Amino acid sequence: MAPSVITNALSVDVEEYYHAEVYRDGTNGMREGLESRVEASTERVLELLSAGAAKATFFILGQVAAAHPALVRKIAGEKHEIACHGHAHEPVFRQTPTEFRADVSRAKAVLEDIIGEPVVGYRAPSFSIGRAQAWAYDILLQEGFRYDSSIYPIVHDHYGDREAPRFPYEIWRKGSRALVEFPISTVRVAGVNLPIGGGGYFRLLPLALTRAGIRRVNARERQATLFYFHPWELDPDQPRPTMSWRHRFRLYVGIEREERKLARLLRDIAFAPIRNILAI
Ligand SMILES: [Zn+2]
């Protein structure tokens, strides 16, 4: 099949397997003595993107960047965009505004010290900026961010806002400075937003659905889509602690096929970093 004409945005949330909210929930937050696997799994992501000639935005957790600065330099050296995933992967709805500002400014400083360039993009842990956390946008703007990517316009038990716009829009403004929101992509079918933006849905559903959904949005709505995944989703050998079947299903469904599916997606769809797509 011919590549899509519109270039779409690709993003990778760089964190350890144990930072996932479902892992934390399933293990009651146990993080002591856990093996670090983020370096090896992110190397696999870089190889995959290199083979697919794709560039992406990497939302890197501040804690991971501080522990693995060479990895951050390597990602930047391969011409991907470095962006911020906060410092400690604490959901925004569990933080006060003061705690949130401290978390994002610390992570931004760590990343900027390593790459020597401004970091302008932010993604909240587990898409955790809901309507009650709109104060976070003002803080992001004050801390020098120019875009946010923390909304998934679907119905979900942990996150999602099905009323939110589906394409990039100005979510906050102060004077001449604006913060743009780039939501994770959905395709609208029969009045319902269906997820085509990656994560667990991509592992669960056939590749053809995501691919057809992206092409439909590109062709019918003339809009770029945004897709995301995590390095730990390419690591089927990660430790799998005892947890309920529901938690296990959400974390590990389709994990063995993920790398092959992503390779095929990169072959069929043209991808670039978010900053390039938004032209900021
Ligand atoms: Zn995350």
Side-chain angles (χ1 to χ4, degrees):
M1 276 187 261
S4 55
V5 180
I6 288 182
T7 302
N8 296 279
L10 183 61
S11 62
V12 185
D13 292 358
V14 181
E15 62 194 42
E16 298 280 4
Y17 58 97
Y18 53 77
H19 286 123
E21 190 62 16
V22 179
Y23 185 101
R24 176 176 157 150
D25 196 43
T27 58
N28 295 317
M30 284 290 294
R31 285 192 195 172
E32 316 285 277
L34 292 168
E35 175 197 356
S36 169
R37 297 178 68 89
V38 72
E39 198 140 358
S41 54
T42 305
E43 298 272 357
R44 288 177 78 168
V45 171
L46 288 172
E47 283 167 27
L48 187 71
L49 298 189
S50 169
K55 299 295 178 199
T57 294
F58 285 68
F59 291 98
I60 305 174
L61 199 63
Q63 277 182 355
V64 166
H68 306 277
L71 181 65
V72 178
R73 275 191 289 273
K74 182 168 184 183
I75 297 167
E78 296 189 15
K79 306 293 177 222
H80 300 291
E81 179 190 0
I82 303 296
C84 179
H85 195 33
H87 195 76
H89 216 267
E90 190 65 19
V92 179
F93 53 72
R94 285 196 208 125
Q95 299 182 62
T96 64
T98 306
E99 288 166 341
F100 175 74
R101 185 190 296 277
D103 181 272
V104 294
S105 67
R106 185 176 177 190
K108 191 172 191 279
V110 167
L111 292 166
E112 290 178 343
D113 279 354
I114 295 170
I115 62 167
E117 280 174 34
V119 165
V120 299
Y122 173 77
R123 174 168 293 150
S126 318
F127 306 110
S128 54
I129 304 185
R131 291 185 176 202
Q133 290 79 36
W135 46 263
Y137 301 123
D138 201 35
I139 293 174
L140 290 173
L141 203 52
Q142 287 169 26
E143 294 297 324
F145 290 98
R146 299 189 58 196
Y147 75 85
D148 173 71
S149 181
S150 305
I151 293 180
Y152 208 158
I154 49 160
V155 182
H156 187 283
D157 56 351
H158 288 177
Y159 52 75
D161 182 346
R162 64 181 154 174
E163 306 298 327
R166 295 172 47 238
F167 302 115
Y169 62 103
E170 191 180 299
I171 196 163
W172 204 263
R173 171 171 283 276
K174 207 159 215 177
S176 61
R177 291 179 306 139
L179 187 76
V180 173
E181 174 67 32
F182 199 157
I184 301 294
S185 286
T186 55
V187 62
R188 201 155 173 81
V189 178
V192 177
N193 294 348
L194 302 177
I196 55 167
Y201 296 109
F202 182 71
R203 281 185 279 119
L204 176 66
L205 303 168
L207 167 70
L209 288 182
T210 292
R211 192 172 47 199
I214 292 173
R215 287 191 168 140
R216 182 180 162 117
V217 170
N218 289 167
R220 294 195 184 183
E221 301 185 86
R222 307 301 301 164
Q223 292 276 358
T225 64
L226 169 58
F227 186 90
Y228 85 102
F229 65 98
H230 303 89
W232 58 260
E233 292 179 284
L234 276 71
D235 182 14
D237 302 324
Q238 64 188 269
R240 301 188 189 193
T242 310
M243 50 181 109
S244 77
W245 70 266
R246 213 170 143 262
H247 289 98
R248 282 201 310 273
F249 178 78
R250 283 187 156 196
L251 280 172
Y252 308 127
V253 63
I255 204 162
E256 281 82 10
R257 297 186 300 274
E258 176 78 356
E259 193 164 341
R260 202 155 34 93
K261 268 167 105 172
L262 282 170
R264 288 173 61 197
L265 187 70
L266 297 182
R267 187 194 61 194
D268 296 338
I269 306 284
F271 283 112
I274 293 175
R275 203 174 174 179
N276 298 38
I277 303 297
L278 294 178
I280 57 176

